[in-house]
Amino acid sequence: DCSACAPGWYGPNCDSDCRCGPGTCDYTTGICTCPDTDEQGHYGGRKCERCAFDWAGSGCKTPSHWCNNHDVVWISQPESDGIIQVTGDSKYTTNMQCSWYLSFPGSTRITITFDWIAVEQDYDNIYIWNSEKRNYNNPVAKISGRMSQRTYQVTTGFMFLYFDSDVTNTDRGFFAKF
């Protein structure tokens, strides 16, 4: 009888773990249902252990701009506490090509601060340009390796941010605010 199991457990002998973080557990199947509301937060993962795609921050309530592999994420409004990240809390995959284009009409500068960066040194790179497109000969910054608290600024109303991973090792990516 599953109704006799202690909270967080399920199954015929109540010996299967059904802890779902902020979510709810189906005590018959053990499947977690994660919250996905502005009030409760936007959670994902098998056990609701992380923020869902395009969400971040405390309680998974802050919109975030995750990598849309081989496509461009367009950001055309300055946001208070705007966030850009590769894949949230999981490792990025090989052969990722992520682009974020920030265009703030009327703005003369855009600042981005990386809280942390963890990419494969010399092989996986983050590029920043003060233009509307990539120009490998003239980046504002080319970033690789592990570091924290780095701030970059462009003096135009445009910023093109690009992340490229190679075919071997991966890491966590980065977490940046603009």
Side-chain angles (χ1 to χ4, degrees):
D1 177 17
C2 291
S3 62
C5 295
W9 298 92
Y10 78 101
N13 298 318
C14 298
D15 59 355
S16 297
D17 184 350
C18 196
R19 284 172 258 181
C20 295
T24 55
C25 176
D26 179 316
Y27 289 104
T28 304
T29 64
I31 295 173
C32 296
T33 301
C34 303
D36 190 17
T37 67
D38 288 344
E39 184 179 311
Q40 294 179 313
H42 302 268
Y43 288 86
R46 226 181 104 232
K47 299 281 184 181
C48 307
E49 72 277 7
R50 60 176 171 76
C51 294
F53 184 80
D54 278 347
W55 294 95
S58 177
C60 299
K61 294 180 180 180
T62 305
S64 178
H65 303 279
W66 289 28
C67 171
N68 191 2
N69 200 13
H70 299 283
D71 204 354
V72 177
V73 176
W74 297 88
I75 304 169
S76 60
Q77 295 279 337
E79 302 171 10
S80 61
D81 300 324
I83 295 173
I84 296 174
Q85 53 189 339
V86 180
T87 55
D89 293 330
S90 21
K91 284 183 144 186
Y92 58 84
T93 61
T94 59
N95 284 328
M96 287 192 88
Q97 295 174 353
C98 309
S99 301
W100 296 266
Y101 176 66
L102 290 76
S103 172
F104 303 157
S107 179
T108 57
R109 68 184 66 236
I110 299 174
T111 302
I112 190 164
T113 299
F114 291 87
D115 285 3
W116 55 265
I117 298 168
V119 300
E120 183 187 13
Q121 181 71 44
D122 299 324
Y123 296 97
D124 299 345
N125 297 288
I126 303 163
Y127 297 89
I128 299 172
W129 291 279
N130 62 347
S131 64
E132 300 176 33
K133 59 184 175 181
R134 295 184 294 232
N135 176 355
Y136 286 105
N137 295 323
N138 195 20
V140 171
K142 178 182 176 187
I143 310 158
S144 189
R146 289 179 163 264
M147 56 193 79
S148 61
Q149 295 305 312
R150 299 281 198 249
T151 299
Y152 301 90
Q153 188 173 78
V154 297
T155 55
T156 63
F158 310 104
M159 178 185 282
F160 195 86
L161 179 68
Y162 180 72
F163 170 70
D164 187 13
S165 67
D166 69 355
V167 297
T168 58
N169 301 318
T170 65
D171 209 326
R172 288 180 53 214
F174 63 82
F175 185 91
K177 297 176 184 169
F178 62 92

